[in-house]
Structure formats: C-alpha cells, structure tokens
Amino acid sequence: MTAGTEWEIDGADLPTLVLPDTDGLILAGPPAAPAGEACVEVDFLPVEPDVLLRAAVDAAAWPHVGSVTVHPRRHPPARTRLAFFIGRQLRIERSAAGWNSPVVTLGAALRPESAGGQGLRMVAHHARVHDGGGWSRHTLWEVMGLRQYVTWLDRRPASRGMGRPDRA
C-alpha cells in the first residue's frame, strides 16, 4: 500500500448520487472545463463482485471515461459518493498538470485478489469530512495497473501540493 493525498472536505460538497442496490461501476466523463465546474455525464454499469476491480481498471481505458468509481453494494453509499468526489478531483488536478490518465477510486478496502484485481496497486487517500457537527476521517483507495502506478510514482514529487491537504 502507498499513501497519496490527504483531503479536507465539506460534506455539503459531496455529490448526490442515486446508487442501485447492486455491485457496479460509476463511469464519469473527462473534465468538461478547465475549472472542472461543469456538469459531467455519469452512468452506472452493473458488474459481478468477483471482478469489480479488474472491470474498473479496464473501463478506465474506454474512450470518453475520465473516472471510474467502484460501488460494492455491501458498502455504505456515502463511501461511494466520497470516492466519486475524490476521483473527480484527482482527475481534474491531474488533467490540469498535463497527466490525462483516468482515475479509479473505491470508498472502502477490497482485497484485490477477491475482486479480480490480481496485480493491481492500491493507493490510500485520506480524507477528513466536515458534516457540520464535526470531522470524520476516512480512507479511500485509488486502484492502478502497474504502468499507471509507476507513472504516478514518477510524478509524485510534482503532485505533493495537489488537492486540499489537511490543515489541522
């Protein structure tokens, strides 16, 4: 496991996603505008639980896919919404830095070998979410194939300031 960015997020910024009670992938298009403020087209693709991670990495290579969020139905939808938000932010920031690689995120830990992810790399991203009454800490996962992981490692020193780091 490798650690990525630590984020500080206002819970009101999390997107409202209607998620079905089935395992699958949330596919979102690439950033539409430089600021990333425009609406993005989102689709849900049902996937069998034993191949979720591999299917997510494969789907990230499809044309017009900017980010993929894994949604295991047994995990709370709020975790999927947080993973979707972080995935979109990572994609927007990386695009702005000239790295146009799709991002795959997951709101809770899955053992890669149990979800079709043999050979994939998992990078932890930490978030503190403010819900109006206080802060809660969460760990989210970015899923990468070996080639993307090596590229990410090579770009890490330049990207350490990306995101909204924890200020506390």
Side-chain angles (χ1 to χ4, degrees):
M1 174 192 74
T2 306
T5 307
E6 183 164 71
W7 298 79
E8 190 172 277
I9 301 164
D10 186 328
D13 290 339
L14 295 178
T16 303
L17 296 171
V18 178
L19 299 168
D21 187 27
T22 189
D23 297 294
L25 308 174
I26 302 166
L27 308 175
E37 302 290 329
C39 290
V40 65
E41 186 173 334
V42 176
D43 198 7
F44 186 84
L45 177 67
V47 174
E48 292 297 319
D50 59 337
V51 294
L52 271 171
L53 295 180
R54 177 57 56 195
V57 171
D58 290 347
W62 296 351
H64 310 295
V65 170
S67 66
V68 178
T69 306
V70 178
H71 173 64
R73 73 171 179 209
R74 71 180 192 274
H75 294 141
R79 300 289 299 203
T80 298
R81 288 192 296 275
L82 181 58
F84 177 84
F85 180 82
I86 295 294
R88 295 301 299 164
Q89 294 302 313
L90 287 169
R91 178 65 162 109
I92 289 165
E93 291 179 356
R94 289 176 185 172
S95 290
W99 185 24
N100 292 314
S101 179
V103 175
V104 176
T105 53
L106 170 66
L110 282 180
R111 292 180 52 213
E113 61 276 4
S114 69
Q118 294 81 354
L120 297 177
R121 303 296 188 259
M122 306 289 282
V123 175
H125 292 278
H126 304 285
R128 289 179 1 123
V129 179
H130 188 264
D131 65 4
W135 293 93
S136 57
R137 290 192 172 277
H138 303 275
T139 300
L140 305 119
W141 301 91
E142 183 174 358
V143 184
M144 299 179 191
L146 183 58
R147 185 179 323 179
Q148 184 182 19
Y149 181 71
V150 169
T151 301
W152 177 78
L153 287 173
D154 288 345
R155 290 175 172 263
R156 260 180 91 181
S159 67
R160 285 181 199 247
M162 291 185 158
R164 286 173 265 171
D166 182 8
R167 292 174 190 84

